[in-house]
Amino acid sequence: MSFLHRHPRLRLAALLSAPLLWLVVAYLGALAVLLVSAFWTVNGFTGEMVRTFSLANFRTILTEEVYRNVTLRSLGVAASVTAICVLLAVPMAFFMAKVARPRSRHWLVIAILTPLWASYLVKAYAWRVLLANGGPIESVFGATPGYGLFATILVLSYMWLPYMILPIYAGLERLPDSLLEASADLGARAGRTFRAVVLPILIPSVFAGSIFTFSLSLGDYIAVQIVGGKTQLIGNLVYANIGAANNLPFAAAIATVPVVIMVIYLVAVRRSGALEEL
Amino acid sequence: MTAVLAVGVLTLAACGDSGGGSTGSGPGGLTVPKIDKLAALGAGEGTVNIVSWAGYVEDGTTDKSVDWVTPFEKETGCQVNNKVAATSDEMVTLMKTGDYDVVSASGDASLRLIYGGDVAPVNTDLVANYQDIFDGLKNKAWNSVDGVAYGIPHGRGANVLMYNKNTVTPAPTSWGAVFDANSPYKGKITAYDSPIYIADAALYLMKTKPDLGIKNPYALDDKQFDAAVSLLKEQNKNIGEYWSDYTKEVQAFKSGNSVLGTSWQVIVNLAQADKAPVESVLPTEGATGWSDTWMIAAKAKHPNCGYLWMNYIVSPKANAQVAEWFGEAPSNKLACEQTADKNHCKTFHADDESYFDQVWYWTTPLAQCVDGRTDVTCKDYSAWTQAWTTIKG
């Protein structure tokens, strides 16, 4: 022990080697190999990988119209899910952080978290039953949206809502009540207080939440498969090329599309301070 | 980062030795990897890992009265672990993991498994029940290469047209019902979610547009392929959802979200057992279909239990039970006497080769046309897969 005590650098190395090894080899390494395999192809008959450099996969993705359509559709779904989650989460988080009594706050947080404890598949199949013809939604509202794009957005919004509420709640909780009172004392109306005091705290939190809802929606394929009817999103294309076609290189090439989108998105929201809120 | 990349590439390159290059007797000069068949049967290893179609390996959990796994386990001491695959493509992917010993492969997967080196030839002398298999199923193009058997035929059947008998009137008799652009059931039609479904469209075109000259729905040149793909793109407007998971189709027909579409007899049976008002028909154009073969993995960890299972599952009694539960024609001649419904073999045309002449068994599409044409190039399975993405839009 005293040896390590006398060699602080060695101590640091021993402490960090495991997580570093994990980060570099298992995490980044695996990701890198995946991206490299995107430049390979597969023998269509035997499914053997052909390890020669080729841009064919990317050429197909860029030139075939269907991949553009699916990308745009996935972006639309991710944006809609994020918008719906923001609309629902802001008032809910505000109530939790500022209106509810401190004692009931953590019960509300637990209530928000409970849906995360249930299995994703159970929830998705439950929605399939809810949305079915003659199902509970139809008997209550007289109509059901059925399976399709709308159902996908609905179910994904349901799934990811907690990921939006929690960062907003955390952000608002840090906002001292005294600031709101000071604003009121200085004669600001509710709207002015919201714009000048709440919003600067809220915006980075909303962006932080949106990184979760956006990226989770962009990569999802299970909910789409269960309630999406005939809709395909990027995740389905990846799944189809791995599960059905056994074409890992092409799937890897498709998987770079959401990576590129998320990098662009992260660069765009970086300036709002959202990354510090994560 | 560059170093990481280089290491990754080297590792992957080192463990991959993609065969090919030399000329063999297979399609397009492909060679079958040299794998020895099991010489002699030893003692069971206590476990067998199976990849199968839903309904093939029942142990009483789906339905208490349907259980042929427990007697096998008692008899041989081989504990059965079963993984149900939803599609042929999934079967191929699962077999590549090396975690499984036997698989109930259909014709669109079996050749890929054989040429991929994933399955071994079968020593039929070690499978006592092999002698009672219908000759019409032995050593066929999809379960043998150069006269070497690669599996034990299990059963066969057609992809039927399923419909809700309360809403779909009159009852359909043609595949035209699912391809009709002005269908009254728009949005409630379903289709099988796999590239191989393109063959269903090709089969329909073969009968309705003879000038396209389609002779085999799995051998499509550019023009024929485009015709099938555009028919399916047209059909997409009427599709409510595509299914690949049988539970999803049962539920959709039960609730009425789907009322018409392609199906398997086992799904019809399950839906009827669930009190869904469904019926099935073999349309006048004939149908695509499947002929399944039990195959043993090239690197099976439990080869003896694997052989015991292959022998057991085609034994007259077990073969009859599976055939009745799944709704297919059994492969064992003696199974016909063991079925609870004495007309079962008649209903499913077990020994009626003229009936199965109308059924186009799933076959892997190759660039070398499987119908024997040499003057054109056909679309291979990867082209079918990419087209399937385009069809779904």
Side-chain angles (χ1 to χ4, degrees):
Chain A
M1 245 16 238
S2 57
F3 174 74
L4 281 180
H5 190 74
R6 269 178 281 122
H7 297 82
R9 277 175 173 276
L10 205 64
R11 197 175 61 213
L12 190 70
L15 188 70
L16 286 183
S17 59
L20 265 182
L21 205 70
W22 171 256
L23 183 74
V24 174
V25 177
Y27 203 76
L28 294 178
L31 199 64
V33 171
L34 177 86
L35 291 181
V36 167
S37 75
F39 295 98
W40 293 337
T41 49
V42 150
N43 179 321
F45 184 58
T46 60
E48 295 292 334
M49 238 183 250
V50 181
R51 291 181 174 82
T52 43
F53 182 84
S54 148
L55 285 172
N57 293 333
F58 290 100
R59 201 175 305 129
T60 310
I61 290 172
L62 291 176
T63 51
E64 292 267 347
E65 200 192 345
V66 65
Y67 298 103
R68 202 154 46 238
N69 291 342
V70 171
T71 303
L72 290 176
R73 188 182 303 135
S74 306
L75 273 174
V77 167
S80 314
V81 169
T82 304
I84 292 173
C85 285
V86 170
L87 286 179
L88 294 174
V90 169
M92 248 157 130
F94 192 82
F95 177 83
M96 283 165 62
K98 292 285 157 247
V99 183
R101 278 181 304 140
R103 275 189 58 196
S104 49
R105 259 178 216 171
H106 61 265
W107 287 112
L108 283 168
V109 173
I110 290 170
I112 295 294
L113 284 173
T114 37
L116 294 179
W117 301 344
S119 155
Y120 181 108
L121 279 178
V122 169
K123 288 184 279 181
Y125 270 103
W127 272 102
R128 187 173 165 87
V129 174
L130 286 177
L131 291 163
N133 284 355
I137 290 188
E138 188 168 25
S139 41
V140 173
F141 297 102
T144 166
Y147 306 135
L149 206 55
F150 182 76
T152 308
I153 294 172
L154 188 70
V155 173
L156 287 177
S157 306
Y158 167 84
M159 298 275 188
W160 311 144
L161 187 61
Y163 294 95
M164 181 61 91
I165 294 180
L166 290 178
I168 298 182
Y169 168 74
L172 289 178
E173 218 196 6
R174 265 180 304 174
L175 173 73
D177 288 343
S178 53
L179 273 185
L180 298 179
E181 283 156 16
S183 174
D185 288 348
L186 292 169
R189 297 210 181 122
R192 179 75 199 266
T193 305
F194 184 77
R195 256 182 291 124
V197 182
V198 181
L199 214 53
I201 294 280
L202 200 58
I203 284 178
S205 306
V206 167
F207 276 123
S210 78
I211 292 171
F212 291 122
T213 58
F214 197 82
S215 62
L216 287 170
S217 309
L218 209 55
D220 190 79
Y221 72 97
I222 305 172
V224 200
Q225 238 172 24
I226 295 172
V227 299
K230 57 181 176 180
T231 314
Q232 314 191 86
L233 298 183
I234 294 177
N236 301 95
L237 296 189
V238 173
Y239 178 73
N241 278 288
I242 291 173
N246 191 33
N247 193 340
L248 196 63
F250 193 66
I254 296 175
T256 58
V257 175
V259 171
V260 170
I261 293 175
M262 278 317 290
V263 167
I264 295 173
Y265 189 72
L266 288 177
V267 170
V269 299
R270 187 175 55 101
R271 305 202 55 169
S272 74
L275 301 186
E276 285 78 47
E277 291 290 316
L278 282 177
Chain B
M1 199 60 192
T2 330
V4 174
L5 277 175
V7 170
V9 175
L10 285 175
T11 325
L12 273 173
C15 54
D17 55 333
S18 34
S22 59
T23 49
S25 60
L30 282 168
T31 331
V32 190
K34 240 191 136 35
I35 296 163
D36 292 328
K37 56 186 179 189
L38 192 67
L41 208 54
E45 295 89 349
T47 307
V48 59
N49 298 325
I50 303 175
V51 178
S52 71
W53 291 110
Y56 271 18
V57 183
E58 292 294 329
D59 59 2
T61 43
T62 316
D63 185 330
K64 276 201 192 71
S65 61
V66 183
D67 180 5
W68 43 87
V69 167
T70 313
F72 169 76
E73 290 176 337
K74 284 205 182 113
E75 195 181 300
T76 62
C78 299
Q79 179 75 33
V80 171
N81 300 315
N82 181 45
K83 162 86 185 156
V84 172
T87 60
S88 285
D89 309 300
E90 198 184 332
M91 278 188 180
V92 174
T93 312
L94 285 172
M95 285 308 284
K96 283 192 183 299
T97 64
D99 295 340
Y100 299 92
D101 302 306
V102 281
V103 58
S104 64
S106 297
D108 57 332
S110 47
L111 283 185
R112 279 189 274 159
L113 290 169
I114 295 173
Y115 284 99
D118 302 313
V119 291
V122 169
N123 187 345
T124 52
D125 296 340
L126 303 180
V127 181
N129 288 312
Y130 188 69
Q131 57 179 3
D132 299 320
I133 304 283
F134 285 113
D135 288 331
L137 287 169
K138 283 179 184 170
N139 285 328
K140 291 293 161 184
W142 59 86
N143 57 25
S144 69
V145 173
D146 296 336
V148 176
Y150 271 82
I152 308 298
H154 174 87
R156 50 182 164 175
N159 296 320
V160 294
L161 177 58
M162 176 156 93
Y163 59 96
N164 183 319
K165 60 186 176 191
N166 295 345
T167 42
V168 180
T169 48
T173 57
S174 156
W175 286 115
V178 296
F179 292 118
D180 177 9
N182 305 311
S183 173
Y185 312 111
K186 187 177 163 88
K188 299 198 166 191
I189 295 176
T190 187
Y192 186 46
D193 189 359
S194 163
I196 209 72
Y197 184 67
I198 293 172
D200 286 59
L203 176 79
Y204 178 66
L205 290 174
M206 187 163 92
K207 300 293 157 110
T208 52
K209 292 232 173 82
D211 42 316
L212 280 168
I214 299 174
K215 295 276 175 286
N216 178 328
Y218 303 98
L220 304 175
D221 61 36
D222 289 356
K223 199 176 117 211
Q224 297 163 341
F225 189 73
D226 290 345
V229 167
S230 63
L231 178 64
L232 289 170
K233 279 186 179 164
E234 215 33 60
Q235 185 200 32
N236 178 277
K237 295 172 189 155
N238 290 336
I239 294 283
E241 68 177 350
Y242 294 93
W243 67 273
S244 56
D245 172 356
Y246 69 102
T247 51
K248 207 169 112 175
E249 191 179 32
V250 170
Q251 192 262 340
F253 270 84
K254 239 172 89 179
S255 64
N257 283 68
S258 294
V259 299
L260 182 69
T262 172
S263 181
W264 302 328
Q265 193 58 43
V266 64
I267 296 175
V268 180
N269 297 350
L270 285 169
Q272 284 172 342
D274 261 358
K275 311 237 163 15
V278 295
E279 208 52 72
S280 68
V281 63
L282 186 80
T284 50
E285 293 90 0
T288 57
W290 73 93
S291 171
D292 294 343
T293 309
W294 286 102
M295 302 180 128
I296 185 115
K299 295 180 183 121
K301 291 185 188 78
H302 314 98
N304 296 312
C305 272
Y307 266 80
L308 290 172
W309 171 261
M310 290 199 292
N311 188 46
Y312 168 82
I313 198 66
V314 295
S315 65
K317 183 125 200 287
N319 197 220
Q321 284 177 306
V322 180
E324 277 201 293
W325 170 249
F326 191 85
E328 67 179 347
S331 64
N332 191 318
K333 290 175 211 169
L334 307 178
C336 292
E337 287 162 21
Q338 301 276 344
T339 50
D341 171 10
K342 290 301 160 204
N343 284 323
H344 181 85
C345 279
K346 217 177 166 119
T347 317
F348 286 92
H349 310 268
D351 56 353
D352 184 355
E353 293 301 328
S354 64
Y355 170 87
F356 281 108
D357 286 346
Q358 298 178 52
V359 174
W360 292 90
Y361 297 121
W362 283 344
T363 310
T364 310
L366 304 171
Q368 301 76 18
C369 305
V370 290
D371 63 354
R373 282 183 293 171
T374 49
D375 52 335
V376 285
T377 323
C378 285
K379 292 288 190 184
D380 66 6
Y381 193 68
S382 64
W384 284 47
T385 314
Q386 301 219 331
W388 187 241
T389 299
T390 324
I391 289 163
K392 294 209 296 178

